[in-house]
């Protein structure tokens, strides 16, 4: 194949990671806050109480500030598949392009069309039409998450396709297998519900701040009531889908699971680390204990990932070097098979070109027999199959730790709101304020776990990132990386400042109904 | 292929939204009662709280 | 039902949808045209607010159409997506930057604490409306003039010039194409304002724009259309797939597909009628014939570009690498699956039209903008 400059790969990854991380600052809030305002507006329509209209409009205003920049970063992600991952676009575009196109048709138009009604249509359409529009914006934005996560789930666990040696790409053979991919639904549900959690934290944080400042008391109390109720339900759902997600990772991406838990040697009754500090000097096969300090629950990992206490969970070393006792094939063996497939594919192409049908058929058979691990054929060392363990481990544990705290927070706040004692517990209010940045960190940590944990694969076991990039000068990508970094940072600063100003102005002055 | 697992999971999304919405409504009802209670407390003082409470 | 179609018919169907999306996008660039006219049509702050708010109700639709155009290309012609985006890197990146700044500009322009000030966001809108559209037009021009790319046996592609697409601006045709779209966007913006705004000074300035800029557009259009009809095109043999040069390929395509010639002619006439209505009559409906004209003209041009065994993206580095709707398309299975999804298109267009009518029932006035707490 072609020679690719390693710095090009790094810059391409860096640029994509940068865009994705920035994009994800804004999307989860949109996913959840749209539903929260839809619920508030429904209450307004049901009760006819103008107070709820004002409240709805205030939160909608903050939503709009957030929405615009989410859109701006979103368009880049779509086009970056072409600009920076052009080989990827050809090799898997036949499957990957479809959900992206469906996302546009089913979700984006719904979102953008009814967004205009939601913001400017208060006096132009009937109350019910307006309410319907608000719900359609919420559903539309979540449907776009559905299709993009179907696409992402497919990268993590490619199904419903086969490699066509004539076109040298993967082609879709089963659309429904792609849609109902277990990695797709578990990711979709876990992701959107995490967005709902963040939106609840957002409403709670701002309302808590008002209560701390002893202003807009009624507004804050009622908003907290809505957010904590919504938050508790969705965070419990988030926990359930998180478990399902982890189970799918265990089944389809054992290396990622091992990295998430810092598990080097496979175990039965594998323990789950609740808290731990990794030994930075740990390397593969050095027989050192991977943790400096840890607090672990015996059997927890086996139970969570395979729903059985004595299930065997393979470790990083088992997956890299193989483990005959547990029928795990090592990366070296997979690389051998992969190289056979790559060579056979080349020979097949040449035989076809020269019109040697018999040879072509022979090579094709060799290719088909070995194509399962074709992606490994592009690797040069078995160790390349190991992702960055500390980053994956810490990101995962941050997400889980913070997520657990949010459930507790929602329970405490809901209880105190019910008993009307919330304002008397200032530490809870401060906790409500500080949980918002924690929410954002948990969001990003979740994606770092998912995406760093599956390196080096662009498509699990099929296409390493190095094979997926566009063949351009790395300097060009470096240049655009810095341009993006500067522009996004500037826009983020503006967004935060505008948001803070609006929050400071508050619900009373912000509205002239 | 059997996709009933996936369909079940996907179907849980609208259910979640509905259940969360109902939960918000129930809690708001309770909250409204409390707001009234607070208002009455302000108006009549703590003494009459218990008698008034029975009205709900 | 789509199973009955041949693979070529499926590819043609998807090229038609892509063409239609491109045409709808060009129509919707009245938003960009309006942004570039911000300081021409508005002399006071209130007038600027009116312009921004009129466009602010529509900009997301244009943006979404562009995203959809990208998505449809990715799903149906992934080799084009890979070759052009990954090769003409700088051009597409520049276009993206022009659209990022647009997305925030509407919402942030008037907000207190927006860090960079109102003027900066107006400049963002202007850049998007001018440079953004000129670059999109230049990129579309390269579909006729070609790009410097090579596609290898494995269908992996790379660009052969270190300028990664920027060299497109050296072609006079491409740049003229870009400016043609730019002026078209300004004209349709003027027509749209006449339709949607109730403010005498903005309207009289809009009519002045129509009066003068129509001529600039027409000159550019005649040059571009004349060039297309007389230029060499790449044709390919449907059996061997070997690409060769054919003089006046696009003229021949019009002869071979007279329906497209009629659609093209009708489109131009409708556009002219719309421009006439806006310039010389008191009618406020000029946007509709003009809009239909734009959609017809662009669709037929795109179809002439891709149908009748024509390479829709010629390679200037290696003629045999040129892209055709046959060699760049998705698999038959994917095209069929996506065709079923495309049955949603009328439904989507339906609700867009309904919402459009509801939102544009009354013209926008200075009072409405001032009294809307959520105005841009």
């Amino acid at each position: 194949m072609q020679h690719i400059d390693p710095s090009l790969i790094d810059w391409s990854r860096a640029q994509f990671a940068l865009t994705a991380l920035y994009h994800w600052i804004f999307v989860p809030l949109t996913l959840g806050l749209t539903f929260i305002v839809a619920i508030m507006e429904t209450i307004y329509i049901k009760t006819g109480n103008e107070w709820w209209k004002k409240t709805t409009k205030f939160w909608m205003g903050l939503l709009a500030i957030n929405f615009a920049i989410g859109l701006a970063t979103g368009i880049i992600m779509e086009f970056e598949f072409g600009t920076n991952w052009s080989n990827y676009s050809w090799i898997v575009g036949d499957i990957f392009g479809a959900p992206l196109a469906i996302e546009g048709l089913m979700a984006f138009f719904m979102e953008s069309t009814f967004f205009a009604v939601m913001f400017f249509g208060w006096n132009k359409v009937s109350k019910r039409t307006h309410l319907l529009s608000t719900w359609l914006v919420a559903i539309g934005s979540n449907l776009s998450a559905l299709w993009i996560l179907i696409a992402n789930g497919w990268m993590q666990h490619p199904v419903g396709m086969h490699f066509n040696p004539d076109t040298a790409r993967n082609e879709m053979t089963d659309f429904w297998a792609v849609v109902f991919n277990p990695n797709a639904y578990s990711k979709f549900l876990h992701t959107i519900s995490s967005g709902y959690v963040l939106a609840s934290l957002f409403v709670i944080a701002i309302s808590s701040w008002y209560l701390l400042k002893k202003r807009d008391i009624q507004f804050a109390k009622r908003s907290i009531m809505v957010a904590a109720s919504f938050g508790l339900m969705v965070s419990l759902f988030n926990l359930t889908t998180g478990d399902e997600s982890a189970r799918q990772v265990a089944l389809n991406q054992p290396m990622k699971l091992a990295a998430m838990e810092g598990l080097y040697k496979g175990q039965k009754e594998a323990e789950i680390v609740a808290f731990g500090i990794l030994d930075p000097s740990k390397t593969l096969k050095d027989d050192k204990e991977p943790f400096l300090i840890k607090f672990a629950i015996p059997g927890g990992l086996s139970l969570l990932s395979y729903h059985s206490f004595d299930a065997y969970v393979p470790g990083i070393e088992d997956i890299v070097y193989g483990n005959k006792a547990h029928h795990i094939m090592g990366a070296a063996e997979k690389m051998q098979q992969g190289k056979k497939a790559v060579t056979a594919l080349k020979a097949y192409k040449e035989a076809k070109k020269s019109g040697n049908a018999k040879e072509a058929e022979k090579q094709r058979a060799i290719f088909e027999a070995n194509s399962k691990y074709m992606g490994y054929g592009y690797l040069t060392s078995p160790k390349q199959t190991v992702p960055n363990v500390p980053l994956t481990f810490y990101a995962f544990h941050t997400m889980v730790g913070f997520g657990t705290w949010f459930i507790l927070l929602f329970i405490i706040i809901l209880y105190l709101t019910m008993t009307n004692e919330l304002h008397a517990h200032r530490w809870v209010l401060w906790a409500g304020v500080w949980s918002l940045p924690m929410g954002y960190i948990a969001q990003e940590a979740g994606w770092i776990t998912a995406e760093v944990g599956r390196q080096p694969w662009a498509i699990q076991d099929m296409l390493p990132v190095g094979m997926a990039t566009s063949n351009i000068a790395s300097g060009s990508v470096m240049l655009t990386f810095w341009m993006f970094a500067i522009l996004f940072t500037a826009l983020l600063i503006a967004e935060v400042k505008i948001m803070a100003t609006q929050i400071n102005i508050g619900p009373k002055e912000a509205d002239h109904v | 292929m059997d996709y009933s697992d996936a369909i079940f999971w996907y179907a849980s999304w609208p259910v979640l939204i509905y259940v969360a919405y109902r939960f918000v409504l129930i809690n708001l009802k309770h909250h409204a009662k409390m707001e009234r209670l607070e208002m009455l407390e302000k108006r009549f003082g703590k003494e009459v709280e218990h008698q008034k409470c029975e009205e709900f | 039902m789509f199973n009955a179609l041949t693979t070529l018919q499926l590819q043609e169907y998807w090229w038609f949808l892509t063409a239609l999306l491109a045409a709808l996008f060009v129509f919707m660039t009245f938003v960009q045209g309006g942004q570039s006219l911000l300081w021409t049509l508005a002399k006071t702050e209130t007038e600027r607010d009116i312009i921004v708010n009129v466009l602010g109700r529509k900009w997301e639709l244009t943006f979404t159409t562009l995203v959809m155009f990208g998505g449809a290309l990715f799903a149906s012609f992934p080799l084009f997506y890979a070759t052009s985006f990954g090769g003409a890197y700088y051009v597409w990146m520049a276009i993206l930057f022009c659209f990022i700044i647009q997305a925030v500009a509407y919402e942030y322009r008037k907000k207190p604490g927006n860090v960079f000030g109102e003027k900066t966001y107006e400049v963002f809108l202007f850049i998007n409306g001018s440079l953004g559209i000129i670059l999109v037009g230049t990129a579309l021009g390269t579909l006729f003039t070609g790009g410097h790319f090579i596609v290898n046996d494995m269908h992996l592609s790379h660009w052969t010039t270190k300028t990664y697409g920027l060299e497109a601006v050296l072609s006079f045709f491409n740049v003229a194409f870009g400016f043609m779209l730019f002026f078209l966007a300004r004209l349709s913006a003027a027509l749209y304002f006449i339709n949607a705004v109730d403010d005498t000074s903005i309207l009289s300035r809009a009519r002045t724009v129509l009066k003068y800029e129509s001529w600039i557009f027409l000159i550019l259009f005649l040059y571009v259309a004349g060039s297309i009809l007389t230029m060499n095109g790449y044709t390919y043999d449907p059996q061997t797939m070997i690409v060769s040069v054919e003089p006046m390929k696009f003229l021949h395509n019009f002869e071979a597909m007279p329906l497209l010639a009629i659609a093209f002619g009708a489109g131009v006439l409708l556009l002219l009628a719309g421009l006439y209505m806006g310039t010389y009559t008191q009618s406020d409906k000029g946007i509709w014939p003009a809009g239909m004209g734009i959609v017809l003209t662009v669709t037929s041009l795109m179809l002439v570009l891709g149908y009748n065994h024509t390479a829709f993206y010629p390679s200037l580095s290696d003629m045999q690498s040129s892209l055709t709707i046959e060699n760049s398309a998705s698999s038959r299975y994917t095209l069929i699956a996506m065709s079923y999804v495309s049955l949603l298109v009328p439904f989507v267009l339906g609700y867009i039209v309904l919402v459009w009518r509801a939102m544009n029932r009354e013209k926008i006035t200075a009072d409405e903008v001032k009294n809307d707490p959520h105005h841009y």
Side-chain angles (χ1 to χ4, degrees):
Chain A
M1 292 255 160
Q2 45 198 4
H3 174 73
I4 303 239
D5 172 9
S7 80
L8 168 67
I9 303 169
D10 288 340
W11 280 113
S12 305
R13 289 162 96 177
Q15 179 165 305
F16 202 80
L18 175 85
T19 322
L21 288 172
Y22 266 100
H23 186 49
W24 204 250
I25 296 176
F26 312 105
V27 176
L29 185 61
T30 300
L31 291 176
L33 200 54
T34 45
F35 274 117
I36 292 183
V37 294
I39 289 176
M40 287 177 170
E41 192 179 339
T42 309
I43 298 169
Y44 160 60
I45 300 293
K46 277 185 87 152
T47 60
N49 184 347
E50 287 290 319
W51 187 91
W52 280 106
K53 185 177 175 184
K54 276 190 190 177
T55 306
T56 307
K57 279 186 152 186
F58 174 74
W59 293 112
M60 242 180 222
L62 299 186
L63 172 66
I65 297 164
N66 180 71
F67 191 84
I69 191 162
L71 223 68
T73 45
I75 190 172
I76 305 165
M77 301 216 58
E78 179 188 359
F79 284 95
E80 268 180 355
F81 285 111
T83 54
N84 293 90
W85 305 97
S86 115
N87 287 356
Y88 174 95
S89 292
W90 173 252
I91 296 171
V92 299
D94 195 61
I95 307 119
F96 194 82
L100 258 68
I102 301 174
E103 180 187 18
L105 187 63
M106 266 177 83
F108 287 160
F109 277 113
M110 192 190 266
E111 242 180 309
S112 57
T113 308
F114 293 100
F115 191 86
V117 183
M118 181 165 105
F119 279 98
F120 305 107
W122 286 102
N123 303 318
K124 289 181 187 281
V125 297
S126 72
K127 274 185 185 176
R128 290 200 168 268
T129 310
H130 191 275
L131 178 65
L132 178 71
S133 303
T134 307
W135 277 99
L136 287 176
V137 172
I139 293 168
S141 59
N142 280 262
L143 280 181
S144 81
L146 168 68
W147 290 103
I148 199 64
L149 287 162
I150 286 176
N152 183 277
W154 184 83
M155 296 165 88
Q156 317 267 353
H157 179 44
V159 290
M161 46 85 211
H162 81 113
F163 190 88
N164 180 348
D166 290 316
T167 50
R169 66 171 171 188
N170 291 284
E171 294 181 355
M172 200 192 313
T173 54
D174 188 347
F175 178 74
W176 297 113
V178 176
V179 173
F180 293 125
N181 182 354
N183 271 53
Y185 71 70
S186 54
K187 266 186 143 357
F188 165 64
L189 295 170
H190 189 55
T191 308
I192 55 166
S193 54
S194 77
Y196 305 164
V197 171
L198 183 81
S200 309
L201 292 173
F202 181 82
V203 174
I204 286 176
I206 293 167
S207 307
S208 300
W209 185 75
Y210 286 148
L211 289 180
L212 283 167
K213 295 272 158 197
K214 296 193 167 52
R215 53 177 279 198
D216 302 292
I217 305 279
Q218 191 190 39
F219 168 87
K221 276 188 178 175
R222 285 188 185 170
S223 293
I224 283 188
M225 193 67 180
V226 173
S229 308
F230 187 75
L232 180 58
M233 282 289 138
V234 295
S235 60
L236 291 173
F237 185 77
N238 191 237
L239 180 74
T240 320
T241 52
D243 171 64
E244 177 66 11
S245 263
R247 204 171 67 87
Q248 295 303 337
V249 170
L251 294 174
N252 304 315
Q253 298 171 296
M255 177 61 90
K256 190 199 278 186
L257 185 78
M260 278 155 64
E261 279 301 317
L263 183 70
Y264 281 80
K265 286 193 187 334
Q267 289 167 7
K268 279 191 167 189
E269 291 170 42
E271 57 187 18
I272 196 162
V273 179
F275 172 80
I277 293 173
L278 288 163
D279 181 347
S281 67
K282 167 79 187 164
T283 55
L284 284 183
K285 281 218 155 158
D286 65 356
D287 278 329
K288 262 201 212 162
E289 161 63 32
F291 289 92
L292 295 174
I293 308 167
K294 76 174 167 183
F295 173 71
I297 303 157
L301 187 60
S302 293
L303 182 70
L304 278 175
S305 34
Y306 298 98
H307 290 182
S308 147
F309 261 115
D310 55 357
Y312 174 79
V313 182
I316 295 169
E317 288 172 5
D318 304 287
I319 301 167
V320 174
Y321 300 109
N323 183 331
K324 287 232 164 67
H326 291 279
H327 312 291
I328 297 167
M329 195 198 280
E333 204 178 324
K334 290 179 184 171
M335 279 168 60
Q336 260 178 8
Q337 282 198 22
K339 291 208 191 321
K340 269 189 204 163
V342 173
T343 319
L345 176 65
K346 222 174 161 185
Y348 168 77
K349 283 276 192 190
E350 272 159 21
K352 263 219 130 172
K353 220 178 181 178
S354 58
N356 188 344
K358 212 172 157 197
E359 176 65 13
E361 203 169 313
K362 189 182 133 200
Q363 293 298 340
R364 190 180 174 128
I366 301 176
F367 172 78
E368 298 286 355
N370 293 288
S371 67
K372 189 177 174 200
Y373 296 113
M374 188 175 155
Y376 286 83
Y378 302 114
L379 300 181
T380 49
S381 140
K383 282 187 183 173
Q384 285 176 335
T385 57
V386 185
N388 183 328
V389 177
L391 188 54
T392 313
F393 174 85
Y394 289 121
F396 176 65
H397 283 79
T398 306
M399 173 187 77
V400 173
F402 284 11
T404 314
W405 156 246
F406 300 147
I407 299 178
L408 196 68
L409 177 79
F410 290 137
I411 293 173
I412 297 171
I413 288 192
L414 193 59
Y415 174 78
L416 291 177
T417 320
M418 290 282 208
T419 53
N420 205 11
E421 293 169 74
L422 185 59
H423 50 279
H425 294 80
R426 291 181 67 85
W427 72 271
V428 178
L429 295 173
W430 278 116
V433 171
W434 281 106
S435 291
L436 182 59
M438 288 170 74
Y440 280 104
I441 293 169
Q443 287 288 341
E444 300 288 357
W447 275 110
I448 290 171
T449 310
E451 299 303 302
V452 173
R454 71 170 155 114
Q455 297 299 325
W457 302 111
I459 306 289
Q460 184 74 35
D461 294 349
M462 272 174 39
L463 185 68
V465 281
M467 269 300 296
T469 54
S470 300
N471 192 352
I472 45 177
S474 72
S476 311
V477 186
M478 189 175 82
L479 176 72
T480 51
F481 171 89
W482 287 113
M483 286 170 68
F484 277 126
I486 293 165
L487 182 63
F488 287 160
T489 308
L491 295 181
L492 177 68
I493 292 169
E495 200 250 13
V496 172
K497 193 91 189 295
I498 292 171
M499 193 77 100
T501 311
Q502 289 298 315
I503 292 166
N504 200 17
I505 293 170
K508 269 192 197 126
E509 289 78 4
D511 200 291
H512 325 281
V513 182
Chain B
M1 284 292 278
D2 178 27
Y3 296 127
S4 38
D5 261 21
I7 293 169
F8 166 80
W9 277 104
Y10 277 133
S12 70
W13 173 42
V15 173
L16 167 73
I17 297 297
Y18 183 72
V19 169
Y21 163 70
R22 296 301 307 186
F23 190 59
V24 169
L25 280 196
I26 291 171
N27 289 339
L28 270 179
K29 252 183 206 152
H30 172 85
H31 194 249
K33 281 183 192 171
M34 225 160 41
E35 279 180 343
R36 266 183 78 184
L37 197 67
E38 216 175 8
M39 199 184 69
L40 292 172
E41 262 180 29
K42 261 186 206 154
R43 201 180 296 165
F44 302 107
K46 281 233 171 198
E47 295 307 304
V48 284
E49 177 189 324
H50 296 291
Q51 301 159 14
K52 289 281 168 190
C53 244
E54 279 159 23
E55 282 174 22
F56 294 112
Chain C
M1 86 198 222
F2 289 103
N3 282 311
L5 297 179
T6 65
T7 303
L8 180 62
Q9 283 169 333
L10 284 165
Q11 289 158 349
E12 287 177 339
Y13 175 63
W14 272 93
W15 186 252
F16 167 74
L17 289 180
T18 311
L20 186 65
L21 274 168
L24 290 171
F25 172 71
V26 173
F27 167 60
M28 288 301 300
T29 56
F30 72 76
V31 169
Q32 273 70 22
Q35 290 167 192
S36 78
L37 286 170
L38 182 59
W39 293 307
T40 314
L41 298 185
K43 301 293 174 198
T44 66
E45 192 178 347
T46 315
E47 288 171 357
R48 279 203 301 279
D49 287 352
I50 295 179
I51 300 266
V52 171
N53 276 278
V54 169
L55 299 173
R57 285 150 172 72
K58 296 287 179 265
W59 78 268
E60 282 174 1
L61 207 50
T62 313
F63 199 86
T64 307
T65 313
L66 177 66
V67 173
M68 187 67 232
F69 177 70
L73 267 178
F74 197 1
S76 49
F77 301 99
L79 192 55
F80 175 77
Y81 205 78
T83 307
S84 177
F85 290 12
Y89 187 76
Y90 284 131
V91 175
W92 292 110
M93 279 293 165
I95 292 173
L96 284 180
F97 276 100
C98 290
F99 278 87
I100 301 169
I101 55 177
Q102 182 205 23
V104 293
Y106 282 101
E107 181 65 33
Y108 293 1
R109 188 181 74 104
K110 276 278 178 177
K111 291 276 181 312
N114 67 11
V115 182
F116 306 110
E118 190 174 331
K119 186 88 179 183
T120 307
Y121 294 98
E122 288 176 358
V123 171
F124 282 179
L125 289 177
F126 184 80
I127 293 174
N128 172 258
S130 52
L131 186 63
I133 284 305
I134 294 168
L135 285 174
V136 168
T138 308
L140 286 178
T142 63
L143 295 179
F144 292 93
T145 54
H148 295 88
F149 59 86
I150 292 178
V151 180
N152 73 10
D153 278 354
M154 296 291 176
H155 283 85
L156 302 181
S157 58
H158 67 273
W159 213 253
T160 57
T161 62
K162 290 288 164 218
T163 40
Y164 294 118
L166 285 183
E167 69 283 351
V169 301
L170 297 177
S171 149
F172 186 73
F173 174 86
N174 293 344
V175 177
F177 204 108
F179 274 93
M180 176 185 76
L181 278 200
F182 171 66
F183 281 103
L184 180 62
R186 284 164 73 92
L187 295 176
S188 41
L191 289 172
Y192 182 71
F193 289 134
I194 290 173
N195 180 262
V197 178
D198 184 9
D199 183 289
T200 41
S201 42
I202 290 181
L203 292 195
S204 76
R205 287 182 206 126
R207 289 190 199 274
T208 315
V209 166
L210 282 173
K211 204 167 173 182
Y212 296 107
E213 298 195 3
S214 291
W215 296 108
I216 306 177
F217 165 73
L218 281 176
I219 292 165
L220 287 166
F221 176 73
L222 283 176
Y223 166 75
V224 168
S227 304
I228 289 174
L229 292 178
T230 52
M231 67 170 47
N232 290 344
Y234 284 14
T235 186
Y236 65 93
D237 183 313
Q239 257 73 51
T240 61
M241 295 289 164
I242 289 175
V243 181
S244 58
V245 176
E246 182 183 327
M248 304 220 209
K249 172 65 178 157
F250 300 108
L251 183 64
H252 297 160
N253 282 358
F254 270 126
E255 284 165 8
M257 299 174 284
L259 211 65
L260 291 185
I262 295 170
F264 182 78
V268 173
L269 287 179
L270 279 167
L271 175 60
L272 290 177
L275 291 176
Y276 178 83
M277 282 164 74
T279 319
Y280 298 109
T281 74
Q282 284 308 303
S283 166
D284 62 356
K285 304 252 183 299
I287 183 72
W288 300 122
M292 270 189 285
I294 291 170
V295 172
L296 273 178
T297 314
V298 177
T299 309
S300 52
L301 257 187
M302 288 287 287
L303 294 184
V304 158
L305 174 69
Y307 284 0
N308 200 33
H309 311 306
T310 313
F312 72 81
Y313 196 38
S315 168
L316 301 173
S317 304
D318 166 34
M319 193 192 290
Q320 300 311 321
S321 289
S322 299
L323 302 190
T324 70
I325 60 169
E326 291 193 60
N327 71 14
S328 65
S330 284
S331 67
R332 183 179 166 79
Y333 181 91
T334 298
L335 290 179
I336 291 176
M338 291 301 299
S339 297
Y340 282 105
V341 175
S342 75
L343 295 175
L344 284 172
V345 169
F347 172 73
V348 172
L349 284 176
Y351 72 65
I352 290 175
V353 170
L354 280 179
V355 166
W356 188 303
R357 288 169 62 122
M359 296 294 288
N360 285 44
R361 201 169 289 141
E362 281 157 22
K363 294 193 186 218
I364 291 182
T365 60
D367 285 346
E368 182 188 336
V369 173
K370 270 188 204 149
N371 294 330
D372 183 351
H374 187 85
H375 77 76
Y376 280 140

